[in-house]
Amino acid sequence: MKLRYYLMITFCLLALTGCQSPSQEAAPAASEASETTAAQQTDPEAATSTVQAESETLSQTNVDLKALTDLVGKADSEVTALLGQGEEMQNGDGLLLERSYTLSLLGENADVSLSFNLYQEGSDLLEQAVINLGQSDLSEYAQTLTQLFGEPTESYEKSYIFVSDGKTLILADPYGDGAYIEISLEE
């Protein structure tokens, strides 16, 4: 009979300690957040550095299409210096394959995928940038690209090809589900 009581008391104590753990963990996190806020309010330098860090993050995403095009062929360190880390994808050996960003380009928020090590493994060079745009009307995008990079070297029903400064830009919407721009080194 005593064994039953000991087991029941042990079970109850374990259950009670399990119920109290999340609330005890939340309290220090909340107090740390309030301490950080209080420190920023009392320390103007901390608040200024926080604002500067936020503005640097914003300026990293305020890149134009020409600057993004210029990054193709550059090292990963140059890409991250301009755009930040983004969302990184590596293979099992730690080789950088891709970085993804959402950037404000051509008047809209575009999903940008940067591919590394496509042709020269271990080089960590940006070899291709793909910008997924929201609209499927290619004519507006083609006008903007023509202003930036000159007349297209080739055009088809649903694509335009531009060549500028050793880079090839392909504007296309083959399936009518949204245009994209693919930027790579000129071959």
Side-chain angles (χ1 to χ4, degrees), residues 1-2 9-12 14 33 50 53 64-66 73 77 93 104 115 125 127 130 141 144 148 163 168-169 175 184:
M1 193 71 160
K2 286 184 180 182
I9 290 173
T10 304
F11 178 75
C12 289
L14 286 174
T50 302
D64 64 359
L65 184 60
K66 189 79 168 144
S77 59
D93 297 328
S104 178
S115 298
L125 295 178
E127 294 181 353
V130 177
Y141 294 128
T144 302
L148 291 171
V163 176
T168 301
L169 290 89
Y175 305 110
S184 57

Side-chain angles (χ1 to χ4, degrees), residues 48-127:
T48 303
S49 65
T50 302
V51 169
Q52 287 174 346
E54 289 173 1
S55 67
E56 286 175 9
T57 302
L58 291 175
S59 68
Q60 290 171 349
T61 59
N62 290 335
V63 65
D64 64 359
L65 184 60
K66 189 79 168 144
L68 183 63
T69 302
D70 291 341
L71 285 175
V72 174
K74 303 280 171 102
D76 177 51
S77 59
E78 294 178 70
V79 172
T80 56
L82 182 65
L83 300 176
Q85 293 296 314
E87 187 176 323
E88 188 176 280
M89 183 174 69
Q90 298 180 352
N91 69 3
D93 297 328
L95 184 68
L96 177 64
L97 300 176
E98 185 176 293
R99 290 191 185 278
S100 299
Y101 301 89
T102 299
L103 302 175
S104 178
L105 294 169
L106 303 174
E108 61 185 78
N109 287 332
D111 292 327
V112 178
S113 175
L114 306 180
S115 298
F116 297 81
N117 297 303
L118 289 173
Y119 308 111
Q120 296 178 1
E121 186 172 322
S123 65
D124 282 339
L125 295 178
L126 174 57
E127 294 181 353

Side-chain angles (χ1 to χ4, degrees), residues 118-170:
L118 289 173
Y119 308 111
Q120 296 178 1
E121 186 172 322
S123 65
D124 282 339
L125 295 178
L126 174 57
E127 294 181 353
Q128 183 181 63
V130 177
I131 305 163
N132 291 307
L133 301 165
Q135 301 175 25
S136 61
D137 181 18
L138 291 181
S139 61
E140 288 181 38
Y141 294 128
Q143 287 176 342
T144 302
L145 292 179
T146 300
Q147 291 172 354
L148 291 171
F149 303 105
E151 291 294 321
T153 57
E154 298 177 48
S155 62
Y156 303 99
E157 184 178 329
K158 294 188 176 192
S159 64
Y160 297 85
I161 300 173
F162 298 85
V163 176
S164 175
D165 296 327
K167 312 286 186 333
T168 301
L169 290 89
I170 300 172

